[in-house]
Amino acid sequence: MIRAAITAVSAYLPEYVLTNKELETMVDTNDEWITSRSGIKERRILRDKDKATSFMATEAAKSLLQKRNIKATDLDLIIVATVTPDFQYPATANIVGDNIGATGVWGFDVQAACSSFIYALEAGTRFIESGKHKKVLVIGADKMSSIIDYTDRNTCVLFGDGAGAVLLEPSTDETGIIDSRMYSDGSGRKSLYQKAGGSLHPSSIETVTNKEHFVSMDGQAVFKIAVVKMADVAEEMMTRNNLKAEDIKFLVPHQANKRIIDGTAARMGIDASKVMLNIQRFGNTTSATLPLCLYEWEKELQKGDNIILTTFGAGFTWGATYIKWSYDSK
Ligand code: ACO
C-alpha cells in the first residue's frame, strides 16, 4: 500500500497585530473576558484591501516550494482549504496555481468550515495513496476579517487571518498518514453560518443591511458540542491505533477556544506540554490553524513521532488524523 507523508510545511501570517486592547476600543469587551473565555490575546489581520486569501495561500506555497527545493510544475494537484475564497468561483486553488506558475497542475477548493484543512488533507492523502499523484500541495488559508462584523463582540474577538501549507508525497517507509476519521452532521448548520450570499439568500440590499454576510454564531451551542466531539474523535483515533497518552508526542488541535483544547487533551490524558497551542497569538484562523501549528512546532518534530490532528467546525464537521511524522527538521 502506498502511504502519504507530509514532507514539508510552511506558513504566512499578515503583519498587523490586532490586540485585545485595541478591540476594547472597538466593542464593549475587555482583555480579561476574551482571555478567560477563549485564551486569545491577539490575532493577525490582513489589512490590505487589495489582498485576499489567495495572497496568503500563495506566499505559503512559494516558501514551501523554496524550502523543499521543487518547482511549481513538479506539483500534481493543489487543494486549498478555505471558507473565505477570493470569489464564489473560480476556486482559490486556481488562482494560487496561476500565481506560483503551476502550469498544467489542477486544483480545487475544500470548504468544511474549521475542519476544511483536515478534510483537504484527507482528500490529498487519497490522491497519493491511489498512486495517481506524487506531489499534492494542501493549503489552509482564511481571511476571516473579510466576513467578521467588527461591531459584534460575540464573534470579532475570536478570529484572525493566516495561511499554512503542507506537501504530501508518497512515504518511503512506515511513517506518514496512518489513520483518519471524518464526521459531519448538517443538522447543526444554523448554529454557525453565513446567512446570505449563497443560492438560498443571494446578496441583496436587504442582506447587506441586515449584516447577513458576516459570521453568525450561537457560541454556546457550538461550544457544547465541540468540546464533546473533538475529544470523542481524538480518543477514537487513539483506541483504533492502540495509542496510549505516552505514545503521543503532540496533540495538534484546531485553535477555536483554549477550553475546548484543554477538554480534548484531558480526555486523551495528554499533558499541556504536549499540546500545540498558539491561539493566544493568532486566534481562530479557521482553515489555517493546523498547518500553522505544524509550521511553528516543525523543529521539535522528529521522524517517527506520533501526532494527532483534531478539529471541530461549523456544519457541524469534525475529524482526527493520526500521523507518524516523516522527517527530522534541519
Ligand atoms: N466581551 C465581553 N462580553 C461578551 C463578549 C465579549 N467579546 N462576547 C459575548 N459576551 C457576553 C455575552 O453577551 C453574554 O452576556 P449575557 O450573559 O449578558 O448575555 C456573556 O458574555 C456570556 O456569553 P457566553 O456565550 O455564555 O460565553 P461563553 O463562555 O460561551 O464563551 C465563546 C463564548 C468564547 C464564543 C464560546 O462559546 C466558544 O468558544 N464557542 C465555540 C466557538 C467555536 O468553537 N467555533 C467553532 C469553530 S469556528 C468555525 O467553524 C468557522
Side-chain angles (χ1 to χ4, degrees):
M1 179 202 160
I2 301 169
R3 208 189 280 289
I6 293 176
T7 57
V9 297
S10 194
Y12 174 84
L13 284 156
E15 273 174 27
Y16 189 78
V17 178
L18 175 60
T19 62
N20 289 353
K21 267 265 159 288
E22 186 175 351
L23 279 166
E24 284 177 12
T25 68
M26 296 159 66
V27 287
D28 181 14
T29 191
N30 57 74
D31 175 55
E32 198 283 322
W33 191 96
I34 303 170
T35 309
S36 62
R37 301 292 175 116
S38 71
I40 302 166
K41 284 279 183 196
E42 56 189 45
R43 64 289 291 143
R44 300 296 180 95
I45 303 293
L46 184 62
R47 291 176 100 190
D48 194 327
K49 296 248 181 297
D50 298 332
K51 289 179 178 153
T53 295
S54 68
F55 168 76
M56 297 187 288
T58 298
E59 291 302 306
K62 279 184 187 164
S63 61
L64 183 140
L65 295 176
Q66 198 176 18
K67 209 167 154 183
R68 182 75 182 80
N69 198 21
I70 56 171
K71 299 192 293 291
T73 48
D74 293 336
L75 298 171
D76 297 301
L77 165 65
I78 300 168
I79 309 176
V80 173
T82 188
V83 299
T84 52
D86 289 24
F87 305 102
Q88 284 275 2
Y89 62 89
T92 303
N94 300 152
I95 301 167
V96 173
D98 181 47
N99 289 348
I100 65 175
T103 314
V105 180
W106 75 298
F108 58 87
D109 290 359
V110 168
Q111 194 278 93
C114 287
S115 303
S116 299
F117 180 79
I118 211 166
Y119 276 33
L121 188 68
E122 180 75 359
T125 297
R126 299 286 169 249
F127 280 99
I128 297 285
E129 287 177 350
S130 74
K132 195 166 181 195
H133 289 328
K134 300 270 183 282
K135 285 183 173 46
V136 177
L137 180 61
V138 182
I139 307 170
D142 268 305
K143 185 180 176 182
M144 291 307 290
S145 60
S146 67
I147 54 166
I148 294 297
D149 174 5
Y150 284 96
T151 65
D152 175 15
R153 68 176 183 173
N154 291 297
T155 52
C156 75
V157 302
L158 301 175
F159 295 94
D161 302 335
V166 304
L167 184 68
L168 291 174
E169 295 184 83
S171 171
T172 51
D173 50 34
E174 290 306 300
T175 66
I177 295 171
I178 310 290
D179 194 16
S180 58
R181 183 72 168 94
M182 303 295 137
Y183 287 98
S184 66
D185 175 2
S187 68
R189 60 191 175 278
K190 290 200 172 164
S191 296
L192 179 50
Y193 70 133
Q194 189 174 315
K195 291 180 177 171
S199 57
L200 185 59
H201 300 296
S203 311
S204 67
I205 289 168
E206 285 75 28
T207 62
V208 172
T209 308
N210 295 335
K211 299 185 166 189
E212 291 175 0
H213 296 269
F214 294 124
V215 171
S216 163
M217 180 172 81
D218 177 347
Q220 273 188 17
V222 178
F223 184 90
K224 270 189 207 148
I225 185 157
V227 78
V228 173
K229 295 298 185 190
M230 210 161 100
D232 279 354
V233 72
E235 193 178 41
E236 182 184 350
M237 201 46 50
M238 290 173 76
T239 311
R240 275 160 67 119
N241 293 283
N242 297 316
L243 292 168
K244 295 188 197 61
E246 57 266 31
D247 301 325
I248 295 165
K249 177 79 178 276
F250 283 111
L251 167 65
V252 192
H254 173 53
Q255 315 276 311
N257 186 310
K258 185 174 180 298
R259 291 183 289 148
I260 298 173
I261 296 171
D262 290 346
T264 303
R267 175 90 79 80
M268 295 169 78
I270 284 182
D271 184 74
S273 62
K274 289 179 162 189
V275 180
M276 293 189 188
L277 189 80
N278 55 20
I279 191 172
Q280 63 280 15
R281 285 177 292 125
F282 306 138
N284 182 353
T285 53
T286 304
S287 311
T289 61
L290 298 182
L292 274 174
C293 282
L294 294 176
Y295 175 71
E296 287 211 300
W297 271 263
E298 186 189 22
K299 287 196 171 52
E300 292 185 42
L301 288 166
Q302 304 289 319
K303 186 171 177 163
D305 283 347
N306 293 316
I307 63 172
I308 290 184
L309 278 55
T310 184
T311 59
F312 185 89
F316 295 120
T317 55
W318 66 104
T321 303
Y322 164 36
I323 302 175
K324 206 173 251 307
W325 197 248
S326 292
Y327 61 95
D328 296 330
S329 200
K330 288 170 198 95

